[in-house]
Amino acid sequence: MKRKGNPSSKKSELSKRVKIEGKLKNGGSSASGSGEVITRNGGGGKQQNLRLNSPIKAEKKSQAKSSSKFGKKAKAKGLGGDITFRGVRNDGKHQSMVDLICLKNIFAVQLPKMPRSYIVRLVLDRKHLSLALCKDGRIIGGICFRPFNKQGFAEIVFCAVTATEQVRGFGTLLMNHLKEYVKPMGVEYFLTYADNFAIGYFKKQGFTKQVTMDPERWTRYIKDYDGGTLMECKISKLIDYTQINTILDQQRDCVLKQIRQISSSHVLYEGLKVFRDKTKASSNGSMKKIALADIKGVLEAGWEPGMRNSAPPCADNRHPKIRQLQAKFGVVLKKLAQHEASWPFREPVDRSYTNYYEIITQPMDLSTMEGRLNKFEYVSKSHFFGDFHLMINNCRRFNPPASQYYKCANTLEEAFTKLTKDLKIDDE
């Protein structure tokens, strides 16, 4: 690892880092699982020499402003623990090195395709900063980025949350706090190179594939990556991203208030009791009919006598056994979609990831299976099972055994086997 600084101090600093890393072992990261976010990029290498950024002292000043806001005071509730955020940089202090090594370990586990030497170099590089996400005092995720203050943008290098805390909203929470964290630095845009599995996450965070920033501001500062998609996010100074949920709730309440002034859809009426009253039954034992106009809320909704149904009832001509079998398939798909290991399989792989479709000629995912089920295409167990195993085998064929996707495939396959056995689909 190459670092700039006093040559006489290089050996002692490196020895210090090695000792810290040896004590930390895994640094709180999980040994398996997949990251909620995967992105690969970096600002190291040759373009560090092209940087026309403000002096290091100016950077430290802006970073100090952000740190004062995002120290112990930055907390979030409702996620099962005491959630805090803190900015970390390689300032040579013991605690900073401990935090950076913890983040390095999480990135290394959640991004197995990324060379570990590359992760170490960027995380410990003094031009890069990190925002650590802590739960009950333990680091469970973070984002490593490099700010280009004079150019007004920052490049997101790594972003990950440990496997045991995924699919709980921590990724969105982390990104929202990062947006507030970089505002005092003069950062107006985020740029990142995202791989296929990270594009969906970044879209939810406000990133787009269309880069609107002037190319002169960024083209000489970040490196281009094969297989990655460049994405941009503009940071608004008018929005407090840490309060985004509160803002959305207020907007929703305002819209509902306006709707209620012109609609009665929010009014609840008392339910029918005639079907519970046995005295209402006719002499032959059948239930007496009730006029549609006597049902509370019908007339208020605008119904008038003489109106016809908008469409005739749909006839279900399926065989009872097929109907029962497809109902079980629906239960299986619903349970699989809710499984924590199913996130790589919920939607089709993005078409922009051409390398995937060159290798996988018959793609399959859970949403496609759900569409086929809704069209009643699964009339046998073999067809349904075949599509599921096609999806799993595609994942194993494209990804190495040590990757988080391969492990997710194994976990989901075990869940599928247990579900079908519990529902006795194997006996159909």
Side-chain angles (χ1 to χ4, degrees):
M1 184 186 310
K2 297 181 180 180
R3 296 179 56 195
K4 295 182 180 179
N6 187 353
S8 62
S9 63
K10 287 184 177 180
K11 185 174 181 181
S12 61
E13 290 180 359
L14 180 60
S15 176
K16 183 178 180 181
R17 284 204 309 275
V18 172
K19 290 180 180 178
I20 293 174
E21 184 171 359
K23 292 179 181 179
L24 287 174
K25 295 182 180 179
N26 293 329
S29 61
S30 173
S32 64
S34 59
E36 199 171 20
V37 186
I38 303 172
T39 177
R40 54 178 200 171
N41 48 18
K46 295 182 179 179
Q47 51 255 38
Q48 290 185 3
N49 300 326
L50 296 174
R51 181 181 179 190
L52 301 175
N53 212 341
S54 55
I56 297 297
K57 292 183 179 179
E59 290 184 12
K60 290 182 178 179
K61 185 176 181 181
S62 63
Q63 294 160 15
K65 293 181 181 179
S66 298
S67 299
S68 64
K69 181 179 180 181
F70 282 85
K72 298 180 180 179
K73 297 181 180 180
K75 296 184 178 181
K77 297 180 180 179
L79 291 174
D82 184 19
I83 308 301
T84 59
F85 299 84
R86 62 172 177 263
V88 187
R89 63 183 301 272
N90 186 0
D91 54 8
K93 296 181 181 179
H94 175 77
Q95 186 58 48
S96 297
M97 297 303 297
V98 170
D99 292 344
L100 290 175
I101 295 299
C102 285
L103 288 172
K104 183 270 296 182
N105 289 337
I106 291 175
F107 295 148
V109 171
Q110 305 305 327
L111 309 174
K113 292 185 179 181
M114 195 71 62
R116 296 203 172 192
S117 59
Y118 178 70
I119 295 176
V120 172
R121 178 163 60 86
L122 295 189
V123 171
L124 297 181
D125 179 49
R126 295 192 173 184
K127 295 179 181 179
H128 288 73
L129 308 177
S130 296
L131 183 64
L133 165 63
C134 306
K135 179 180 179 181
D136 297 328
R138 181 177 64 91
I139 294 179
I140 62 171
I143 296 178
C144 178
F145 65 98
R146 180 180 177 181
F148 294 89
N149 297 357
K150 194 172 181 179
Q151 278 60 48
F153 79 93
E155 180 189 19
I156 295 179
V157 184
F158 307 118
C159 179
V161 174
T162 188
T164 56
E165 300 291 349
Q166 290 167 17
V167 200
R168 301 181 62 185
F170 284 119
T172 298
L173 187 66
L174 183 59
M175 184 62 70
N176 287 339
H177 278 75
L178 179 66
K179 292 175 181 178
E180 289 299 315
Y181 181 74
V182 299
K183 282 183 179 180
M185 303 179 190
V187 173
E188 300 174 348
Y189 293 89
F190 279 144
L191 290 179
T192 188
Y193 273 95
D195 72 8
N196 178 69
F197 297 101
I199 290 176
Y201 164 80
F202 281 111
K203 284 183 177 180
K204 293 179 181 178
Q205 310 310 317
F207 285 74
T208 64
K209 296 180 182 180
Q210 182 179 3
V211 179
T212 60
M213 187 168 49
D214 185 357
E216 292 295 327
R217 293 176 61 177
W218 62 271
T219 49
R220 297 181 298 161
Y221 297 90
I222 65 175
K223 196 189 270 186
D224 191 13
Y225 288 86
D226 294 335
T229 301
L230 181 63
M231 303 188 73
E232 175 196 89
C233 177
K234 181 173 175 57
I235 302 172
S236 174
K237 296 181 179 179
L238 303 178
I239 299 176
D240 183 354
Y241 291 96
T242 60
Q243 301 297 321
I244 194 70
N245 289 334
T246 302
I247 295 172
L248 293 176
D249 288 342
Q250 292 174 348
Q251 292 177 342
R252 177 179 176 273
D253 292 341
C254 181
V255 172
L256 289 177
K257 184 178 180 180
Q258 297 298 320
I259 292 176
R260 287 170 180 173
Q261 293 179 1
I262 60 175
S263 171
S264 60
S265 60
H266 61 285
V267 179
L268 298 179
Y269 297 92
E270 187 179 4
L272 298 175
K273 297 181 179 180
V274 63
F275 302 108
R276 296 181 181 179
D277 191 353
K278 295 182 180 180
T279 62
K280 297 288 185 179
S282 61
S283 58
N284 60 2
S286 62
M287 196 67 70
K288 291 183 178 180
K289 294 183 179 181
I290 181 173
L292 188 59
D294 293 338
I295 301 176
K296 294 182 179 180
V298 172
L299 295 177
E300 290 80 356
W303 181 84
E304 296 179 358
M307 285 186 173
R308 300 179 61 185
N309 293 330
S310 58
C314 179
D316 188 353
N317 297 322
R318 292 177 296 165
H319 191 278
K321 289 186 177 180
I322 298 297
R323 189 186 304 117
Q324 184 181 20
L325 184 62
Q326 290 175 344
K328 292 182 178 181
F329 291 161
V331 173
V332 172
L333 288 179
K334 183 178 180 180
K335 294 289 186 181
L336 291 179
Q338 295 173 348
H339 197 280
E340 60 181 6
S342 68
W343 65 269
F345 308 100
R346 292 170 186 164
E347 299 293 337
V349 176
D350 197 290
R351 283 289 173 181
S352 62
Y353 202 60
T354 56
N355 183 37
Y356 179 85
Y357 288 96
E358 290 175 357
I359 299 174
I360 305 301
T361 57
Q362 291 182 299
M364 183 55 60
D365 61 276
L366 293 176
S367 65
T368 301
M369 292 183 65
E370 182 181 3
R372 291 186 174 184
L373 179 62
N374 291 337
K375 296 177 181 178
F376 306 139
E377 294 184 10
Y378 292 125
V379 296
S380 66
K381 180 189 74 173
S382 59
H383 190 186
F384 181 74
F385 278 45
D387 277 356
F388 176 81
H389 290 299
L390 173 63
M391 178 183 71
I392 297 299
N393 292 332
N394 285 345
C395 179
R396 290 171 175 163
R397 180 182 176 188
F398 185 77
N399 298 285
S403 67
Q404 67 270 37
Y405 310 108
Y406 199 101
K407 294 175 182 177
C408 282
N410 292 341
T411 303
L412 198 65
E413 187 177 42
E414 293 176 359
F416 178 82
T417 302
K418 185 177 184 304
L419 282 170
T420 55
K421 184 177 180 180
D422 293 343
L423 294 172
K424 298 181 180 180
I425 297 180
D426 291 335
D427 299 335
E428 299 288 343

